[in-house]
Amino acid sequence: RGLGDVYKRQAQILERMSNLAWNRYHRQVPDELCAAIGSSFGLDPDAVFLGNGSNLILQWLFEAYGGLGRHALLPAPSFSLFRMWSRMTETPFEEFRLEESGDAFVFQTDRVLEAIQRVRPKLTFLNLPNNPTGSEMPRDDFLAIVDATEKVGGWVIVDEAYQEFSDAGYDRVELVRQGRRVFVMRTYSKAFASAGIRIGYLLAPEAGRETMLKIVPPFHTSLFNAVSGLVLWENRAFFDERIAELGSERARMMTALRSMPGLRVYQTS
């Protein structure tokens, strides 16, 4: 078990690649991956947008909905590319800071709601669980932010890069299925241990798909990415077991660290 099982998945990817024509533009395999991901979330294949890593998906979202005169609200501290893409697309932004409270950093939802009313952002970003603090957000707070953002004509972008390691206790993709103004981003880099393969995906409500189609170029997903994505998706049970092991190890490490004098251990989701 361990590396041997990982190598088996790699061999599956290479074997499947060897049986496909590399000299053609492929649509079938990426479409199959979109259908597989969508089916797992109760969504149509058209709701799934693949990207060469979620960094590229962030760029598309800023190109589609940002720019001069369209503001963004960003958490801080959080994923550095939120600010980078804001600046590169000339999207004015304001940050709302997570506050230290006991052994955790928490979202100040009242401040976020106040900023939405004042700034009227086109894009409100939530990194859940937040990188680097591991902070989660209660469901009622999340729904309040979605409600407020919709009232000012904006969109909530939820970056769930670490969602598989979260204990939030509720499903944010539910709002995508309901057609709310919420995009959910996920990646293969963390839970699938596949950062080098570069696969991210966006789950989009029906109202946001037409705009995204104007931005996303054709044939942008390589055959290797699509085949890798399919093989890994078909092996989700294996990765779920590894995630459970990592969760147990995290709890063990935190308990051990808390027993050491002079150390302050922050809670993580």
Side-chain angles (χ1 to χ4, degrees):
R1 191 164 176 80
L3 280 178
D5 286 326
V6 173
Y7 292 148
K8 288 179 184 178
R9 274 70 193 177
Q10 293 175 343
Q12 285 180 271
I13 292 170
L14 296 176
E15 180 181 4
R16 201 171 301 186
M17 278 290 297
S18 69
N19 294 320
L20 294 169
W22 295 16
N23 61 331
R24 298 179 182 177
Y25 295 99
H26 281 267
R27 287 294 298 270
Q28 181 177 347
V29 182
D31 287 349
E32 288 176 3
L33 179 55
C34 288
I37 293 173
S39 176
S40 298
F41 290 105
L43 293 166
D44 295 332
D46 292 347
V48 182
F49 291 85
L50 304 176
N52 189 29
S54 55
N55 296 352
L56 181 60
I57 293 172
L58 270 177
Q59 176 185 343
W60 291 340
L61 287 165
F62 273 103
E63 290 174 345
Y65 295 102
L68 291 173
R70 294 178 167 187
H71 287 72
L73 278 182
L74 313 176
S78 194
F79 188 33
S80 61
L81 287 190
F82 294 157
R83 279 195 285 180
M84 188 193 84
W85 283 122
S86 293
R87 290 171 174 144
M88 291 184 70
T89 58
E90 298 184 310
T91 303
F93 68 90
E94 181 172 315
E95 294 180 329
F96 54 88
R97 296 200 62 81
L98 281 72
E99 297 296 330
E100 189 174 0
S101 176
D103 64 350
F105 286 85
V106 298
F107 289 93
Q108 300 293 313
T109 304
D110 289 345
R111 295 182 186 177
V112 181
L113 296 175
E114 182 278 325
I116 291 171
Q117 291 295 323
R118 175 171 45 81
V119 178
R120 303 181 69 83
K122 194 68 176 178
L123 295 167
T124 297
F125 283 87
L126 296 172
N127 192 195
L128 299 171
N130 188 61
N131 172 18
T133 63
S135 311
E136 259 295 353
M137 177 177 286
R139 184 175 186 272
D140 288 347
D141 290 13
F142 176 71
L143 292 176
I145 289 172
V146 173
D147 289 342
T149 302
E150 288 181 329
K151 288 177 182 177
V152 299
W155 294 85
V156 174
I157 314 297
V158 189
D159 182 352
E160 289 192 340
Y162 293 89
Q163 189 277 335
E164 291 88 350
F165 303 95
S166 171
D167 56 4
Y170 66 99
D171 176 20
R172 288 177 280 262
V173 180
E174 175 187 4
L175 276 76
V176 178
R177 291 191 290 269
Q178 293 172 357
R180 304 290 299 271
R181 293 173 71 91
V182 175
F183 289 99
V184 174
M185 288 172 35
R186 290 196 181 179
T187 179
Y188 276 66
S189 296
K190 311 307 188 287
F192 289 93
S194 301
I197 292 177
R198 309 307 302 143
I199 310 174
Y201 59 94
L202 181 73
L203 305 176
E206 188 171 357
R209 298 172 198 174
E210 184 177 352
T211 299
M212 290 302 297
L213 286 171
K214 296 175 183 177
I215 299 294
V216 178
F219 304 113
H220 63 88
T221 302
S222 75
L223 183 61
F224 180 76
N225 285 31
V227 168
S228 301
L230 268 175
V231 170
L232 295 176
W233 199 260
E234 292 164 2
N235 286 274
R236 294 193 309 286
F238 164 73
F239 291 98
D240 287 344
E241 291 178 11
R242 297 185 72 194
I243 291 164
E245 292 174 7
L246 287 170
S248 297
E249 181 65 7
R250 176 178 62 186
R252 186 191 71 80
M253 284 290 294
M254 291 179 70
T255 300
L257 289 170
R258 287 191 174 113
S259 69
M260 297 180 183
L263 289 182
R264 184 175 183 183
V265 181
Y266 288 87
Q267 184 62 40
T268 181
S269 297

